[in-house]
């Protein structure tokens, strides 16, 4: 099968699991013998050009700009898989390309300028409920009204006005929560497939003896709930926090007098398996809905239980499959940790089972190949 993947890579200044996922998908498809073309724009490179911010703002607002059409016509793929067009690709080409097309929605950007449905410490659906102009009023993108304006223009009209959702023959979502959200907003459920991401099991050591400490690995920003986690962490347990972001210095200040909590800064993606395999488990305190955080899949591959705050996609999966425990408020955190410690072996077994059945290389490949084959067969286009 000839498969073209389209992705605008986010800046390395804001590390993105989405970038890593796309690269992993390419490697997995090629390993199965498919011929894969990556049509990409790299923000790190694009940003060096004169007037980049202005040109990109116009591109986002008008949905016009760089197009992958020339590369697609030359490659003649059996199917095109769009991952991310923001901010470096246009969307007008979607109405021109008439071949089979699949699109993955990694976040909630079609209806939210920030992509998170989260603002000022709580869930936010103002743009859905009252109109996308609320993104400008609330400075939702990078804390700037000016930066938020192009996205507010692009998302005006919501789901019905989104070119990717309108054009795609199949929409891929990564979690039950995302599926429910998009269907509730009007996407035809017959058009949506739940295909979770995967991680390669090779770097992990699921049978290693658990460490005494727990880990948080992720961005240090308000929606991730890391400051609340620090303030409510019990003195009887050790916590190591890995990550970068706008709250890094504040997090370091908070733990100055907490000998059982360490804020250790950023960690390279290839170092995450070792940190998880050496830990007792992962703590996931996010206060926003989340898409499908890669670190959860990595914790499962490492055989490490998860303690997740209620209200996000990770907590949904933890509760449904018993891969750890979910807590609803800070008062429940300590008791949840105690319960997992007491039955660590049982939770450990469930994490490995969940990984193999849903988030392994083979599980993902089988599902995505099925989606591709169905779309190609149904559209009748090659």
């Amino acid at each position: 099968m000839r498969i073209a993947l389209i992705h605008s890579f986010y800046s390395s200044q804001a590390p993105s699991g989405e970038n890593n996922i796309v690269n992993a998908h390419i490697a997995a498809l090629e390993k199965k013998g498919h011929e894969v073309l990556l049509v990409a724009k790299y923000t790190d490179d694009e940003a060096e050009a004169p007037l980049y911010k202005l040109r990109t703002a116009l591109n986002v607002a008008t949905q016009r700009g760089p197009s992958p059409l020339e590369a697609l016509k030359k490659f003649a793929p059996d199917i095109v898989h769009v991952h991310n067009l923001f901010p470096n690709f246009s969307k007008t080409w979607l109405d021109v390309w008439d071949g089979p097309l699949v699109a993955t929605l990694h976040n909630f950007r079609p209806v939210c300028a920030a992509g998170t449905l989260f603002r000022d410490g709580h869930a936010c659906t103002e743009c859905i409920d009252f109109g996308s102009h609320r993104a400008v009023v609330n400075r939702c993108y990078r804390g700037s009204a000016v930066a938020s304006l192009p996205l507010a223009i692009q998302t005006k009209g919501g789901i019905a006005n989104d070119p990717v959702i309108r054009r795609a023959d199949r929409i891929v979502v990564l979690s039950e929560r995302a599926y429910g959200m998009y269907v509730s907003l009007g996407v035809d459920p017959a058009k949506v497939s739940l295909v979770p991401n995967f991680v390669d099991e090779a770097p992990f050591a699921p049978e290693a003896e658990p460490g005494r400490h727990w880990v948080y690995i992720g961005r240090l920003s308000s929606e991730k709930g890391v400051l609340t986690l620090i303030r409510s962490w019990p003195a009887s347990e050790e916590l190591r926090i890995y990550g970068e972001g706008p709250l890094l210095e504040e997090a370091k200040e908070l733990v100055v007098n907490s000998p059982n909590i360490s804020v250790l800064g950023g960690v390279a993606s290839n170092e995450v398996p070792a940190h998880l395999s050496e830990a007792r488990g992962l703590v996931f305190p996010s206060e926003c809905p989340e898409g499908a955080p890669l670190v959860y899949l990595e914790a499962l591959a490492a055989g490490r239980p998860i303690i997740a705050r209620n209200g996000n996609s990770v907590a949904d999966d933890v509760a449904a499959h018993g891969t750890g425990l979910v807590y609803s408020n800070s008062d429940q955190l300590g008791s949840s940790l105690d319960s997992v410690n007491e039955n660590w072996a049982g939770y450990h077994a469930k994490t490995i089972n969940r990984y193999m059945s849903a988030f392994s290389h083979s599980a993902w490949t089988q599902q995505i190949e099925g989606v591709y084959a169905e779309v190609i067969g149904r559209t009748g286009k090659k």
Side-chain angles (χ1 to χ4, degrees):
M1 194 180 301
R2 293 167 66 85
I3 305 164
L5 271 62
I6 303 176
H7 184 60
S8 176
F9 282 76
Y10 296 104
S11 169
S12 59
Q13 294 180 3
S16 166
E18 193 173 317
N19 291 346
N20 297 333
I21 286 165
V22 170
N23 288 327
H25 286 187
I26 294 169
L29 291 168
E30 289 180 337
K31 187 174 181 179
K32 284 298 299 288
H34 300 293
E35 187 176 353
V36 182
L37 171 71
L38 172 64
V39 185
K41 291 284 186 181
Y42 296 87
T43 296
D44 286 345
D45 297 334
E46 298 291 321
E48 295 180 359
L51 303 176
Y52 169 74
K53 290 185 177 180
L54 175 60
R55 288 187 295 102
T56 302
L58 291 172
N59 173 31
V60 172
T62 64
Q63 303 186 25
R64 299 179 180 275
S67 165
L69 275 178
E70 183 177 349
L72 294 179
K73 290 177 180 178
K74 184 176 180 179
F75 182 63
D78 297 316
I79 194 161
V80 173
H81 190 155
V82 174
H83 280 273
N84 174 49
L85 300 178
F86 174 80
N88 297 310
F89 279 114
S90 69
K91 293 185 178 179
T92 52
W93 66 273
L94 289 159
D95 293 325
V96 178
W97 183 257
D98 64 353
L101 189 142
V102 171
T104 293
L105 301 181
H106 289 269
N107 52 42
F108 300 105
R109 202 175 301 280
V111 293
C112 173
T116 60
L117 295 177
F118 184 90
R119 180 179 62 83
D120 294 340
H122 56 81
C124 178
T125 58
E126 284 193 21
C127 287
I128 297 172
D129 299 333
F130 307 114
S132 64
H133 67 282
R134 297 301 303 171
V136 180
V137 175
N138 295 321
R139 305 171 183 265
C140 291
Y141 186 66
R142 296 186 174 177
S144 166
V146 173
S148 300
L149 179 60
L151 280 161
I153 295 172
Q154 184 181 93
T155 57
K156 184 179 180 181
I159 290 294
N161 195 43
D162 186 87
V164 174
I165 294 175
R166 183 177 65 243
R167 167 61 184 85
D169 298 300
R170 182 62 58 86
I171 297 293
V172 171
V173 295
L174 307 176
S175 69
E176 292 282 0
R177 183 170 288 261
Y179 180 94
M181 175 64 73
Y182 279 112
V183 169
S184 72
L185 292 173
V187 180
D188 181 358
K191 190 177 180 177
V192 185
S193 292
L194 173 57
V195 183
N197 286 317
F198 74 95
V199 293
D200 189 348
E201 65 188 76
F204 297 91
E207 299 306 329
E209 286 296 316
R212 296 182 59 84
H213 65 278
W214 293 78
V215 294
Y216 168 90
I217 301 175
R219 183 165 169 76
L220 304 185
S221 52
S222 60
E223 73 276 9
K224 298 298 184 180
V226 67
L227 297 186
T228 302
L229 176 66
I230 291 172
R231 294 186 179 106
S232 57
W233 188 257
S236 58
E237 298 285 344
E238 181 183 351
L239 174 65
R240 298 179 187 177
I241 295 172
Y242 297 95
E244 296 179 334
L247 299 182
L248 176 59
E249 294 308 316
E250 188 172 351
K252 286 182 177 179
E253 291 176 6
L254 273 179
V255 305
V256 167
N257 297 315
S258 301
N260 62 323
I261 306 176
S262 304
V263 177
L264 301 169
V267 59
S269 58
N270 62 354
E271 297 174 345
V272 171
H275 288 301
L276 284 168
S277 298
E278 295 168 356
R280 190 158 193 82
L282 173 75
V283 186
F284 195 85
S286 183
E287 298 174 6
C288 68
E290 294 286 352
L294 199 60
V295 70
Y296 174 57
L297 281 59
E298 292 170 322
L300 296 178
R304 295 310 181 245
I306 296 90
I307 300 291
R309 184 183 178 92
N310 189 41
N312 57 65
S313 61
V314 167
D316 295 343
D317 201 77
V318 169
H321 300 281
T323 56
L325 287 176
V326 174
Y327 67 100
S328 297
N329 55 62
S330 298
D331 293 339
Q332 296 176 353
L333 178 58
S335 60
S336 297
L337 289 164
D338 290 341
S339 295
V340 170
N341 284 332
E342 290 171 5
N343 190 30
W344 190 91
Y347 289 111
H348 168 70
K350 289 181 179 180
T351 62
I352 295 175
N353 289 338
R354 180 60 177 153
Y355 168 74
M356 293 304 298
S357 65
F359 304 116
S360 63
H361 177 284
S362 59
W364 178 83
T365 304
Q366 182 177 3
Q367 289 184 80
I368 203 66
E369 285 179 330
V371 169
Y372 290 163
E374 193 277 333
V375 169
I376 291 171
R378 181 165 54 82
T379 59
K381 298 174 182 177
K382 291 282 187 105

